[in-house]
Structure formats: C-alpha cells, structure tokens
Amino acid sequence: MNRVDTALAHMSLEDKAALCTGATAWNTTPIERLGVPPLVVADGPHGVRKVADADSMAIGALPATCFPTASATASAWDPDLLREMGAAIAEEAIALGVDVVLGPGINMKRTPACGRNFEYFSEDPYLAGECAVAYVEGVQSRGVGTSVKHFAVNNQETRRMVVDAVVDERALREIYLPAFEAAVTRAHPWTVMCSYNRINGVHGSQNHRLLTEILKDEWGFDGFVVSDWGAVHDRVASLAAGLDLEMPGPRDRRVRAVVDAVRDGSLDESVLDDSVRRILTVAFRAEETPAGTFDPAAHHALARRVAAAGMVLLRNDGVLPLRDVSSLAVIGRAAKEAHFQGGGSSHIATTMVDEPLTELAKLAGGAAISYAEGYPADDASRPDLIDEAVAAARSAEVALLFVALPGWKEMEGADRDDLDLTSQQVALIKAVTAVQPRTVVILNNGSAVAMDDWIDGTAAVLEAWMMGQAGGGAIADVLFGVVNPSGRLAETFPHRLADTPAYLNHPGEQDVVRYGEGMYIGYRWYDAREMPVLFPFGHGLSYTTFACGAPRVSETVVRDVDGVTVEVEVTNTGTVAGADVVQVYVADRKASLERPKKELKGFARVELQPGETKTVRIPLGFRAFAFYHPGHARWITESGEVEILVGASATDIRGSVTVDLVSTVELASILTPLSTLGDWLADPRGRAVSASVLKPAMAALTQAVGGDPDNGVDNQGQNLYKMSLPLADVLAFGGDAVAGDPVEVVARLLGELRA
Ligand code: BGC
C-alpha cells in the first residue's frame, strides 16, 4: 500500500471529515498519529502573502517580493519569463513555509470594469492559458503547489458571492474554460480554487458539472479543489459536487455535518475518501520539498525585469526614449508613491519598493529634475496643485506625468462604473499638455482606462500597469531606453465604456448577470461589431521597427489532427535591439455555427539585433482550428478553407495564408423530431435515411408552394421556406405522397439513424 492508502485506511470518519475542512485560516488539519502534516497555503498570485498568524485572514503578512500583477505579466507575451517569475515565487514560498500559492488568477476579462482585472491575464483565452501554464509550471518546478482560480466564470466583483453568471455553452467552452483546461491538462496544478459566484444557477462550490464532470472526469484533474474563502454554503452538497477542501477553518459544525451525512447514508463515504486521497496526496508531496531561502535583492531585480517587459508603449511621437534632456518636470504623486499593486487578498508586504522619482534621477545623467504632486490621494479638486504642475512643466524640456488610477477606483470586491481617471487627473493632463507638448503620461492601473478626453495633447503614453515593487526602476529603464519596450496589450483599450461587450449586461440585476454577448468578448466583439477602438489587443510600440515577411506553411492541405506550422521571417529594420511579438490568428469564415472573425491561436516573442532576421515558427494544432459544438457536446473541426493571419495586433494584420483543412472528426447524427428539412439534407446519414420519403414529399410540397423539387435555386424564397420546415411538416404538406402519420414516419427515420 502506498502512503496515501495506508493513512486513509487508518483514518476514522471524523479524521476524514476534519481533513476536508481547514484547521485555521491557512492550514489544513494535521493528523499527527498518522504522520499527516498540515498543508500551508498563502495568497498569490504575484508574490507570497504569508500571514504570520494562521488564525488571521489578513493582518501581519511577512515580507515578500511583490512582482508585477497579471495584467503586466501577460502583456510581456513571454511565457518563459513568467515561468522564471513563478520559480522565484516558489523559492519565497519555501522560505516562508508555504506549500501552496493561491494563484494564478486566470478568469477572463469580460469587461474592463471588473475591479479585479489586475489579477487576471487577458481577454483572450489562448493567451491567458499560455500564461497560466507557464506560471503553474514555474512555481511547481520547485516543489510548491499552485491554485488556479477562480473556477469558473468569475468575471466581476459586484455581488461576487451571490451573482448568477448565466452563460451559454459555447461561451463557456470557448471563452471561459480554455485557460483552466490548458492549465489543468498541461501543467497539472496541485489545486484548483472554485469561484464564489453561481454559474447557470449553481454556486461554484456546489457545481457538480464544473468540478466533477468537466474538471475531474473530462480533464483528468488529479489535485484537489479548494473553496474560495467562505464560498461553501452547504458542506455536504459541496463535497458531493467535487469540492474537496473547505477554507478557511476551523468550522466544527461543517465537519460534524459531513460525519452525520455519511452516518445517515446521505453521503457515500467513497466520495469523502476520494477527497481525502486528493488532499493527502498533495500534503505528502509538499512534505518532500526541501527547505530553502531566497535572495530579496535578486528577486527585486527579476521583478524589475518582468515589470519592464510588461510595460506597453501605447503612443510615442519620438519623445521617447529620453536622450540628452537637460531638465525634466516630474509630475504626479505616483512618481513618489508608486502604485504598484491592487487592493484585496493579493496585497503583498514588500521587501523593498522603488520610488520612480529616485530611479529616474539615477538614469537622468544630471538633468535638472523638478517635482510637483499634481493630484491628491482622494478625489478632491485641487486647482493649486495643477497650477504648480503647469509651472514646473512650462520651465522643463520634458514633462513626465505619473498618473495612477486610485486604489478606491479599482480593487478586489468592487467594480468600476466608469473607465475614467479622476476629474483632477484629467484636468491636470490637459493643463500640462497645453503648456508642454513634450509630455509623457505614465499610467498605473490594472485594466483599460478611457483616454479620448486627453490623449491628443500627449507626446507619449506608457502603460506601466500595477507593476510590482520594482516598477519604479522599470519605468526609468523604459523611459531612458535601457530597456526597449516590447509589451503588447493583452486586452483591448476601448474608446468608452459604452462600446464594451458587457456594457448592457454588467453587473446584472437582481443577482443575475446574463452573458448576452456570448463568445464575443474583447477583440472578438470589436471585430464582429466593426467598431473602432483606442488601442487594439496586441498593440505595443518599440524604439525600433520590424518587418515581417509573408507567412508560409509547410503544407496547404492540413489534417486537423496533424496541424500545421506557420513560418514567418521577422527583421529588425531599426537601429536598436528590440523584441517583436508575432501574433497568429485563425479565421474560419465558413462554419456550420457562427464563429468570431478571428481568434488568437499562437504567438512568439522574438529578440532581434539591428538588421537581424530570424525565422519564427508557430505550431497550430487541432484546437487552433476547432470550435465547440454544443449539439455534439464536443470540439469539432469542419473541412474547408481556413485563413491564417499573422499580425502585430488584432487590427494590424501583416500577412495571411490559406490552408485547406481536412476534418477527421466523425460526428454522430444529432437530428431530432424538430430538425428541419435543411438539417436532414445537411446531415449525410440523415439525407440517406430520409431519401425514400423525401422525394415524393418534396414533389407534392413543390406542387403546393412552387420552387424546385430537386432543391435547386430557381426560387430561393420558396426553397428557404421549405428548408426551415420541420421534416414532419414537409411530409404533412405532401399529403398522401408518403404513407403514414408524418410524426411517426419521422420517429421511424430517427430510429433507423440511431440503429
Ligand atoms: C479571494 C481569493 C483568495 C482568498 C484567500 C478570497 O476573497 O477571492 O482569491 O485567495 O480570498 O485570501
């Protein structure tokens, strides 16, 4: 017997129930006599928030490196860097005695208004999935577990513990689940955290379909599911649904409820045993991780590198990089008090923090630097601060305007109701740009902000995100060209909130939020609506320029299961070294179900010296071409032409190549008594089975309504009409041409189909 089975065999019912509910806010229940250690968890995702007192939910976290938040790391489009960051976080977890880091957060950015977007990667499931896999692999490579969260469809903070996210099956499968699926099937996280909200009527903590049928059975998840803190409503129902560990503890009443349920037969003990086995497996695995320490200075340096890599240069008229500037006006309180992380459970007690102003001074080569606060910490109007800033800006060569979206606008637990900076900040930018055309705005925020009101007067805008504790240095690196920016937006920046996909369906009413936009979030929405945006998904400037050759594929006839590799030559045509991000989108223009105009299915970040050319190879597999068919309840492909687009953003496509996709998917018939004539004819087996009755029925029907009995196009209106008739009605219109009751004839045909 292995260690898990041995321990399980010696556990009482009470031991088992206790193991499945936390002992403290952050530990599982140890069982000393059986050598079962407590498993210690702590919040992530962008650092380790180890709370010193295990009984406290929040107070007294120990120092750890605050790395850049997920918005920033995703914008680097660099999974290797995220893997490195994950490994560093794991080292800190080990040093702090933490077995499992509660992250990454991989929910989709359905709306930029979600207050917790800073903790999430992207509006695109493929990019979020690649980031999730890299983060999980990085952390777990050092023997520390992760908790991929919040499973699932947790895309807003408003009433997050009660709201019901009503989402259709395709949106669920193609948008909201793939990042989790990628993380689970490729990186094998030790744990998955359920979401607070309801999904199609059932809480995340009690959702059998999500936790058991999809996560465990379909994806083969072999870790344990932990509740979000306080997400469990009915402990017995949640265990039965697949929720293995309830947190936080202690919750004696919950433990007793489980014991009673097994005793009275309402909960099968084998269900409890499965959860116990999963928790024991992780607890014993964690025990094998050797102790260690970490180097705060080295991690701070890594945090600086990651922060710089994630910064996105949105706009630049040439003012950046700063060279030979003799005087700088540094404006905005975020230049002194860096806004580098968000409020809520992910808040890290830092080891050290870079002040942007100090870091700028280090690289400014003796330039005279003045500072003006610009705006207060609250939302008060302060014309005096604007006057001061204007005076500083006027007398300097360049103004650097640090604008941080205040913490009270964006945090865990609440959503924004606009995308605006504060009125004082907008007034400040307008006043400064009016006197200083060489104004660079540096933004700190976790998700898109609206800029139409003020961007025209700026010379450059750098999106620096919530950039982690070393972000101040990273900003200086980018502004002075020590680092050539290569970040690309992992989310669209719209012109205004009213343009965004969830605008009419967020945050919902009476605790129901309908995902009326379906699969169309992010660029999928703006593509479909042909709507201009401020900055598209994938956008980001560099201090150099790149040329991209025409994309090539090794084969133009591609079997779905074989996939294909796209090759592109990229050249650095400028004068400084830099990195480009080649983005590959797939467009399936003709499918039996509607599809987004294009979808990101691959990318590669490539570093190039001036004049250098490299060939980038991006593989596309089955899933790059597939879509989820709810009728068939599976991912399918369809034969036909598919366009592969290579671009620098979702709206900047540089080249394309068309392949002839050959589907190997064999589909069962899904015809029903309601299927129309068109459905029967489109289904090869349906067509064959119904052939004998269709001919006479069609002839009779055509006599009645006109058109072509052979389904030609001489009279399109009549044929369309016929195609949308349920088969039984076609037969009924045919009168006696086909013997028998039409409903019974269709039932017989369906029987033949299923035989
Ligand atoms: C958050 C989780 C977090 C947990 C523990 C919850 O409120 O939603 O992301 O891991 O608290 O702090």
Side-chain angles (χ1 to χ4, degrees):
M1 251 202 256
N2 66 27
R3 214 176 149 194
V4 169
D5 288 332
T6 309
L8 182 66
H10 290 90
M11 282 168 81
S12 65
L13 179 56
E14 286 74 10
D15 288 334
K16 294 178 189 176
L19 185 70
C20 294
T21 292
T24 70
W26 307 107
N27 299 353
T28 62
T29 310
I31 310 171
E32 276 167 33
R33 67 169 214 287
L34 299 177
V36 177
L39 190 76
V40 181
V41 304
D43 265 311
H46 41 266
V48 183
R49 185 173 73 97
K50 169 74 189 292
V51 180
D53 176 0
D55 293 322
S56 160
M57 285 281 286
I59 305 153
L62 301 172
T65 308
C66 178
F67 288 93
T69 62
S71 307
T73 54
S75 302
W77 295 61
D78 189 349
D80 289 339
L81 190 60
L82 209 42
R83 213 170 271 117
E84 196 179 336
M85 183 182 114
I89 288 174
E91 278 181 21
E92 302 199 9
I94 291 169
L96 293 166
V98 170
D99 302 312
V100 174
V101 175
L102 302 174
I106 64 174
N107 294 106
M108 302 309 300
K109 300 191 189 197
R110 173 177 179 247
T111 167
C114 172
R116 210 173 176 182
N117 273 359
F118 67 90
E119 272 190 75
Y120 299 142
F121 289 121
S122 180
E123 67 185 25
D124 180 82
Y126 176 79
L127 179 56
E130 294 306 299
C131 292
V133 167
Y135 179 102
V136 172
E137 284 178 352
V139 173
Q140 296 194 170
S141 68
R142 300 299 165 95
V144 172
T146 54
S147 196
V148 173
K149 66 190 188 184
H150 308 88
F151 189 65
V153 203
N154 173 194
N155 312 101
Q156 70 183 52
E157 292 294 288
T158 307
R159 298 180 70 81
R160 63 176 171 163
M161 297 183 88
V162 287
V163 74
D164 183 14
V166 177
V167 58
D168 70 73
E169 187 67 7
R170 275 196 79 194
L172 183 69
R173 292 294 192 151
E174 297 195 25
I175 302 294
Y176 295 102
L177 294 186
F180 288 97
E181 184 181 3
V184 167
T185 56
R186 287 164 53 198
H188 312 287
W190 292 11
T191 82
V192 166
M193 186 189 291
C194 81
S195 59
Y196 282 129
N197 51 287
R198 289 178 287 158
I199 305 98
N200 294 333
V202 185
H203 269 109
S205 60
Q206 273 170 232
N207 205 305
H208 188 268
R209 170 141 200 266
L210 283 174
L211 302 183
T212 297
E213 290 161 47
I214 295 179
L215 177 66
K216 291 179 177 174
D217 295 348
E218 198 180 311
W219 298 345
F221 173 59
D222 60 2
F224 68 76
V225 179
V226 58
S227 71
D228 198 343
W229 267 230
V232 170
H233 301 272
D234 176 332
R235 184 63 190 113
V236 176
S238 67
L239 257 177
L243 188 287
D244 304 301
L245 173 66
E246 171 179 14
M247 288 299 276
R251 293 273 199 279
D252 290 342
R253 246 178 295 133
R254 295 297 175 86
V255 174
R256 270 202 312 279
V258 172
V259 171
D260 292 347
V262 173
R263 291 237 161 88
D264 71 19
S266 53
L267 180 72
D268 199 329
E269 192 165 356
S270 65
V271 172
L272 180 61
D273 285 353
D274 179 60
S275 292
V276 168
R277 231 182 241 113
R278 288 170 182 269
I279 298 168
L280 287 177
T281 303
V282 172
F284 289 144
R285 189 190 295 152
E287 224 186 6
E288 285 163 20
T289 305
T293 56
F294 75 96
D295 176 353
H299 285 189
H300 188 77
L302 172 61
R304 179 170 178 154
R305 202 149 50 79
V306 177
M311 288 180 188
V312 184
L313 183 60
L314 294 173
R315 168 185 170 98
N316 184 19
D317 71 357
V319 67
L320 296 179
L322 298 171
R323 281 200 194 99
D324 307 323
V325 180
S326 59
S327 59
L328 286 169
V330 176
I331 298 164
R333 50 184 297 120
K336 279 203 167 186
E337 280 177 38
H339 180 55
F340 57 90
Q341 64 175 329
S345 60
S346 66
H347 203 91
I348 304 294
T350 51
T351 58
M352 55 191 107
V353 177
D354 281 356
E355 185 191 88
L357 184 57
T358 311
E359 299 304 316
L360 281 172
K362 287 184 195 161
L363 296 183
I369 298 181
S370 60
Y371 170 76
E373 185 182 337
Y375 54 91
D378 57 18
D379 63 347
S381 166
R382 291 284 303 276
D384 57 317
L385 294 184
I386 294 182
D387 292 346
E388 215 177 273
V390 165
R394 194 183 307 222
S395 57
E397 239 180 273
V398 172
L400 301 177
L401 191 34
F402 286 76
V403 179
L405 196 63
W408 45 266
K409 272 208 166 233
E410 192 181 23
M411 64 185 159
E412 178 178 340
D415 292 330
R416 286 189 282 169
D417 47 23
D418 60 49
L419 301 183
D420 302 329
L421 303 174
T422 68
S423 322
Q424 168 85 10
Q425 289 171 335
V426 172
L428 173 71
I429 301 174
K430 286 182 173 172
V432 168
T433 52
V435 299
Q436 178 49 271
R438 300 185 79 202
T439 296
V440 179
V441 173
I442 299 110
L443 292 168
N444 293 117
N445 47 289
S447 197
V449 290
M451 302 184 201
D452 281 10
D453 209 15
W454 52 262
I455 193 168
D456 286 348
T458 64
V461 178
L462 177 67
E463 177 52 81
W465 306 115
M466 292 185 192
M467 57 201 178
Q469 66 178 46
I475 289 176
D477 290 340
V478 171
L479 294 181
F480 286 101
V482 176
V483 171
N484 186 353
S486 61
R488 303 285 187 267
L489 290 180
E491 62 185 273
T492 306
F493 275 44
H495 284 294
R496 36 177 218 151
L497 186 62
D499 289 349
T500 59
Y503 183 64
L504 294 177
N505 289 297
H506 170 266
E509 278 180 341
Q510 300 188 78
D511 289 332
V512 175
V513 54
R514 289 181 203 291
Y515 283 32
E517 72 289 349
M519 304 174 284
Y520 298 93
I521 68 164
Y523 65 87
R524 288 164 172 80
W525 169 260
Y526 303 103
D527 271 2
R529 301 293 314 274
E530 297 179 356
M531 220 185 249
V533 298
L534 177 61
F535 294 113
F537 175 84
H539 168 77
L541 304 175
S542 166
Y543 297 147
T544 187
T545 47
F546 302 99
C548 169
R552 294 185 302 261
V553 285
S554 42
E555 309 282 338
T556 51
V557 178
V558 177
R559 274 196 342 150
D560 54 7
V561 284
D562 299 335
V564 70
T565 296
V566 188
E567 261 185 28
V568 196
E569 267 163 27
V570 189
T571 305
N572 180 345
T573 49
T575 53
V576 289
D580 195 14
V581 176
V582 178
Q583 302 161 36
V584 175
Y585 298 85
V586 170
D588 179 2
R589 309 233 188 271
K590 239 173 107 192
S592 58
L593 298 184
E594 62 174 82
R595 299 203 61 183
K597 281 204 175 159
K598 64 174 176 299
E599 300 186 277
L600 183 78
K601 295 296 174 182
F603 64 87
R605 184 178 179 280
V606 53
E607 292 184 8
L608 296 161
Q609 294 301 316
E612 191 184 11
T613 298
K614 278 184 187 164
T615 302
V616 171
R617 287 184 185 81
I618 297 164
L620 298 173
F622 177 89
R623 280 288 282 270
F625 301 105
F627 61 98
Y628 191 84
H629 195 299
H632 292 287
R634 57 175 288 193
W635 290 90
I636 72 163
T637 56
E638 290 174 340
S639 296
E641 282 190 353
V642 177
E643 217 181 331
I644 298 170
L645 312 167
V646 175
S649 81
T651 63
D652 183 5
I653 300 303
R654 301 277 172 90
S656 73
V657 55
T658 300
V659 297
D660 210 347
L661 187 70
V662 180
S663 174
T664 60
V665 174
E666 283 178 25
L667 295 175
S669 281
I670 50 169
L671 296 169
T672 71
L674 284 185
S675 296
T676 65
L677 174 61
D679 298 335
W680 281 82
L681 292 175
D683 180 303
R685 292 198 50 228
R687 197 181 180 120
V689 165
S690 60
S692 61
V693 301
L694 272 185
K695 207 151 177 76
M698 286 290 286
L701 176 62
T702 302
Q703 225 172 27
V705 302
D708 174 4
D710 294 324
N711 171 33
V713 287
D714 64 326
N715 185 334
Q716 227 177 347
Q718 280 150 339
N719 276 323
L720 276 179
Y721 163 74
K722 284 188 276 187
M723 288 303 142
S724 64
L725 286 177
L727 184 57
D729 291 288
V730 175
L731 300 182
F733 278 121
D736 295 331
V738 176
D741 176 71
V743 173
E744 282 166 19
V745 172
V746 171
R748 175 172 55 76
L749 294 177
L750 287 171
E752 280 175 40
L753 258 188
R754 312 252 186 278

